[in-house]
Amino acid sequence: MFDYLKLFIIRHKISMAVIVILLFVWLLSNTTFIILSGSTDTCKSCHIMQPYINEWKSSVHKNISCVTCHKLGFNYITRMSFEIATGFYNPHPRAVVSDKVCIKCHTMEELNKPIFYKNMVYFNHSLHVGKDVREMLLSCETCHPHVTHGTEHKTTDEDACISCHFIGAPRGEAVTGCPSCHGSPTKTVDFNGMEFNHSSYLTKGMQCNQCHLDVIKGTGKVPRSRCHKCHEDRSYKYDNPMFVHYTHVTKEHLTCNNCHKPMVHGEIHMIQAIESKCKDCHQSKHNYQRQMYMGIGAKDTPNTPDAMFSSQVSCEGCHPKKSSSLHNIKLARKENLQQTARACVECHGKPYDRLMYNWISVGNSMNVYADNTINKAKIIIRNSGASKVKKDQAQRLIDDAEFNTRFVSNAYPSHNIRYTQQILMNSLKLANKAAKIVGGPEAEANVPASLKSVGASCAVLCHNTLGMPGTIRFDPLGVNFPHDFHISMGLGCDACHPADHAMAMNIKVDTCAQCHHQNSATSNCVLCHSDTAKLFNGRVPFKDIPHTPNVMAGSVSCHDCHGTIKTGHVYQTVRGRCVECHVPMYGGLLDKWNKVYAKKYETVELLLKNTKITLEGLDKKSNKYKQMKHRYDDASAKLLFIEKANGLHNMSVTEGLFDSAIKELK
């Protein structure tokens, strides 16, 4: 073999000499290029680089050579030479830097630490790096495209944040919700001369967009014409955002503003409920009324916004403008009330006009009672033999209580009857506390029902005028609730309804269980758990799902699995019953079902969110929107049914419902 090779070289010595020389030149040129490539002079000898070099010199990476991030490879000069020789070379550079290069210096341990960006936004890299976010895999350059080079030298591209979080979001909201970036606001802010704190509003479940109506200017949409800036005709994938984002964001590392129209985030448009034209004439003379309407301004009373304020009704919604001026003040007030009463009926119907007059009457009588109680407390303090220190301490409480009654008198109770009630109930507590400090008796006696408690005041404030509903729909259990039957049993409103009026309709199922799960006499489960019974017996309200009863239907009762009625549906109790009746492996089987249930529930929930985002971007009149909306509604109904019925009661049917929903949404 060696002799044959030697003979071949001798016969082709000229050709071999040429090959050796070419290999030497190739090796020498590539080695020399690799050695010199760390210098910016090498880069600009072939590329148009000076603007980028100037930016690099002032960047955070100025001490790092070009090739640290821009990996060239040993054959780079060969490939470049070939491109130059064939006319394919483009002197304008464009390079994609792999995330692996960034993470070599910026470790994941470092990136996993949460940061507070510009003292405004909470940010965590671990939720973004290498994660599928809104159907796209983000890269480091998605948010940091100009760390070293670019027409704008900046560290973070905030346009990327805004595009991701707001495109397709409902009005006044972000896709991830405002607190995901800004947290829960804690600072007291000044709003038109009034101090305002968000905390008590948040505890009542108010959403940000009930006051911050518009936080985005611009749609961020992508005109089809943008595609033609780079492509001759490749907009055929225009309606496939997953493909478009994968190609342009994940692979090519393009920035959002290459395609999306610009968007601006901030306090673009606040709620108009207290920003009507009244102030054009009256300036700040209605500040008391505005504060009452917003549910702020009183001493020692949590903020309680009026329901109308939360619904963004402006002053003019209840106080329509009059074309003619009224010279008689008493006549003006009377006619204004009549106009307001008519406005109540126009929106709500009768008897809401009488409700307004009831609030005026009851509100004023509550304030008179509070005033009388405070005056009694003042007499007790004045006649007591307490020390000056205690009398001064008691007087400070009286001052706060009197401030509250003056506030109610100036602001008019009807602007927020629930806040009025809370203010005056707290004023009574302050008066009694003041009397006790000096060793006297409580100042109040024969407290009216309107000031005893929220539960005791429901009829006095509202339902003696509006009446009480007989039967109402209770959605958490999917049943018709016999309201009048429970009232006839002598139950007070607060037996079921939360004391906080703002949350009064937020009745928990556990509240029902406090009565109905106490003994077997009240344990007719199907009365409340009708959806569970339908699932257990296989009679689901969906035509595409086979009616397959649970194998235990007809032979096993609710009590057989759930034990005593007081334990309810505690998972470990049910698991124990499985093991008691069958064998230990049945406990593991229930655990397996539970994991499958949780995983598929999460899948459907995520698909619903993504589909909702897609629907937001479609024309509501198009066939595509109508078809997708129909599938979305059907899948939503199935998920809601599974949730109400607790899918573990019939896993074969539940899996069929999940799979059907997933198929529709995909």
Side-chain angles (χ1 to χ4, degrees), residues 298-568:
K299 302 279 188 182
D300 295 304
T301 308
N303 294 347
T304 308
D306 187 80
M308 301 280 280
F309 174 81
S310 301
S311 301
Q312 303 174 7
V313 178
S314 70
C315 300
E316 290 168 354
C318 297
H319 301 286
K321 284 185 176 180
K322 285 190 68 64
S323 56
S324 60
S325 60
L326 294 165
H327 302 290
N328 188 305
I329 296 175
K330 290 183 179 179
L331 179 63
R333 175 162 171 73
K334 182 180 178 182
E335 292 200 10
N336 184 34
L337 285 176
Q338 290 173 349
Q339 282 186 305
T340 303
R342 285 195 291 270
C344 296
V345 174
E346 284 176 12
C347 288
H348 302 285
K350 287 185 174 294
Y352 275 82
D353 51 344
R354 289 194 289 115
L355 182 65
M356 182 202 73
Y357 286 111
N358 181 55
W359 283 350
I360 293 171
S361 174
V362 175
N364 289 334
S365 65
M366 286 194 296
N367 204 26
V368 169
Y369 178 84
D371 256 334
N372 291 337
T373 303
I374 293 168
N375 287 330
K376 288 179 184 177
K378 288 166 72 175
I379 294 170
I380 291 170
I381 295 167
R382 186 169 59 248
N383 295 334
S384 73
S387 66
K388 185 177 184 303
V389 173
K390 286 190 174 181
K391 282 188 175 183
D392 288 344
Q393 186 181 352
Q395 187 58 47
R396 284 194 291 271
L397 297 177
I398 293 296
D399 290 343
D400 285 348
E402 287 187 314
F403 174 90
N404 283 348
T405 55
R406 285 197 304 271
F407 174 80
V408 169
S409 179
N410 290 324
Y412 303 140
S414 55
H415 284 107
N416 191 337
I417 194 65
R418 283 296 173 187
Y419 189 45
T420 296
Q421 181 191 41
Q422 293 295 328
I423 293 169
L424 297 178
M425 286 171 69
N426 285 337
S427 296
L428 294 180
K429 289 178 182 177
L430 291 172
N432 285 323
K433 189 176 179 181
K436 283 184 178 180
I437 287 174
V438 297
E442 287 191 353
E444 64 180 44
N446 301 319
V447 181
S450 55
L451 289 173
K452 279 184 178 179
S453 69
V454 172
S457 66
C458 297
V460 178
L461 293 183
C462 297
H463 292 290
N464 60 352
T465 304
L466 300 178
M468 302 287 277
T471 300
I472 56 175
R473 185 72 178 169
F474 186 49
D475 287 329
L477 288 174
V479 298
N480 291 322
F481 176 77
H483 198 254
D484 50 2
F485 172 76
H486 288 74
I487 294 171
S488 68
M489 292 177 65
L491 293 175
C493 302
D494 50 0
C496 300
H497 296 275
D500 184 349
H501 184 261
M503 304 292 288
M505 298 309 295
N506 189 20
I507 304 171
K508 304 295 183 186
V509 175
D510 292 343
T511 304
C512 307
Q514 289 174 8
C515 290
H516 289 271
H517 282 187
Q518 292 305 306
N519 53 65
S520 57
T522 57
S523 62
N524 188 350
C525 306
V526 179
L527 283 176
C528 296
H529 302 287
S530 57
D531 285 334
T532 304
K534 289 175 186 176
L535 179 63
F536 186 67
N537 293 300
R539 297 193 297 270
V540 295
F542 301 101
K543 294 180 181 179
D544 60 327
I545 305 298
H547 288 193
T548 308
N550 188 306
V551 293
M552 295 186 290
S555 58
V556 175
S557 71
C558 304
H559 297 282
D560 290 331
C561 293
H562 291 279
T564 61
I565 194 70
K566 290 184 180 181
T567 60

Side-chain angles (χ1 to χ4, degrees), residues 54-122:
N54 293 340
E55 288 173 349
W56 167 76
K57 285 180 178 179
S58 62
S59 76
V60 293
H61 293 107
K62 61 186 176 183
N63 296 322
I64 300 171
S65 67
C66 303
V67 292
T68 302
C69 299
H70 302 288
K71 301 297 182 182
L72 302 180
F74 198 74
N75 293 321
Y76 181 79
I77 190 64
T78 307
R79 179 168 58 83
M80 291 294 296
S81 300
F82 177 78
E83 288 182 2
I84 291 170
T86 55
F88 283 103
Y89 173 68
N90 183 358
H92 295 278
R94 187 184 182 281
V96 174
V97 178
S98 169
D99 288 354
K100 294 178 181 177
V101 174
C102 305
I103 292 173
K104 279 187 177 180
C105 295
H106 306 282
T107 62
M108 286 306 300
E109 289 77 9
E110 177 191 345
L111 296 177
N112 282 337
K113 296 176 183 177
I115 60 174
F116 195 33
Y117 178 66
K118 289 188 176 180
N119 292 323
M120 293 172 59
V121 173
Y122 294 95

Side-chain angles (χ1 to χ4, degrees), residues 152-357:
E152 293 181 14
H153 181 70
K154 52 187 177 181
T155 303
T156 303
D157 182 7
E158 294 174 8
D159 291 339
C161 310
I162 293 170
S163 298
C164 254
H165 283 266
F166 288 100
I167 290 177
R171 184 183 183 186
E173 294 182 27
V175 172
T176 55
C178 305
S180 65
C181 293
H182 298 292
S184 295
T186 56
K187 293 181 179 178
T188 299
V189 297
D190 184 276
F191 181 75
N192 288 345
M194 298 180 291
E195 288 191 348
F196 177 76
N197 192 289
H198 290 81
S199 56
S200 21
Y201 274 54
L202 295 172
T203 58
K204 297 180 185 301
M206 285 190 69
Q207 300 300 311
C208 302
N209 65 351
Q210 286 184 268
C211 293
H212 299 271
L213 203 58
D214 287 317
V215 294
I216 279 292
K217 190 174 183 179
T219 62
K221 288 189 175 181
V222 181
R224 193 179 287 269
S225 58
R226 288 281 175 98
C227 303
H228 302 302
K229 284 189 175 182
C230 299
H231 308 290
E232 186 63 33
D233 187 20
R234 291 190 185 176
S235 59
Y236 59 93
K237 293 284 189 179
Y238 179 81
D239 293 323
N240 188 341
M242 189 178 291
F243 171 82
V244 172
H245 283 132
Y246 173 75
T247 305
H248 296 83
V249 177
T250 306
K251 288 180 67 177
E252 295 299 326
H253 292 199
L254 295 182
T255 59
C256 300
N257 57 14
N258 280 110
C259 302
H260 291 277
K261 283 187 172 182
M263 301 172 75
V264 178
H265 174 40
E267 289 187 0
I268 308 297
H269 182 195
M270 290 288 287
I271 183 176
Q272 295 301 304
I274 53 172
E275 292 302 311
S276 65
K277 300 299 181 182
C278 303
K279 64 181 182 181
D280 289 349
C281 299
H282 296 282
Q283 298 174 1
S284 298
K285 292 182 180 178
H286 288 156
N287 254 8
Y288 281 120
Q289 290 90 328
R290 293 166 67 193
Q291 286 179 300
M292 177 66 85
Y293 193 40
M294 290 177 69
I296 63 174
K299 302 279 188 182
D300 295 304
T301 308
N303 294 347
T304 308
D306 187 80
M308 301 280 280
F309 174 81
S310 301
S311 301
Q312 303 174 7
V313 178
S314 70
C315 300
E316 290 168 354
C318 297
H319 301 286
K321 284 185 176 180
K322 285 190 68 64
S323 56
S324 60
S325 60
L326 294 165
H327 302 290
N328 188 305
I329 296 175
K330 290 183 179 179
L331 179 63
R333 175 162 171 73
K334 182 180 178 182
E335 292 200 10
N336 184 34
L337 285 176
Q338 290 173 349
Q339 282 186 305
T340 303
R342 285 195 291 270
C344 296
V345 174
E346 284 176 12
C347 288
H348 302 285
K350 287 185 174 294
Y352 275 82
D353 51 344
R354 289 194 289 115
L355 182 65
M356 182 202 73
Y357 286 111

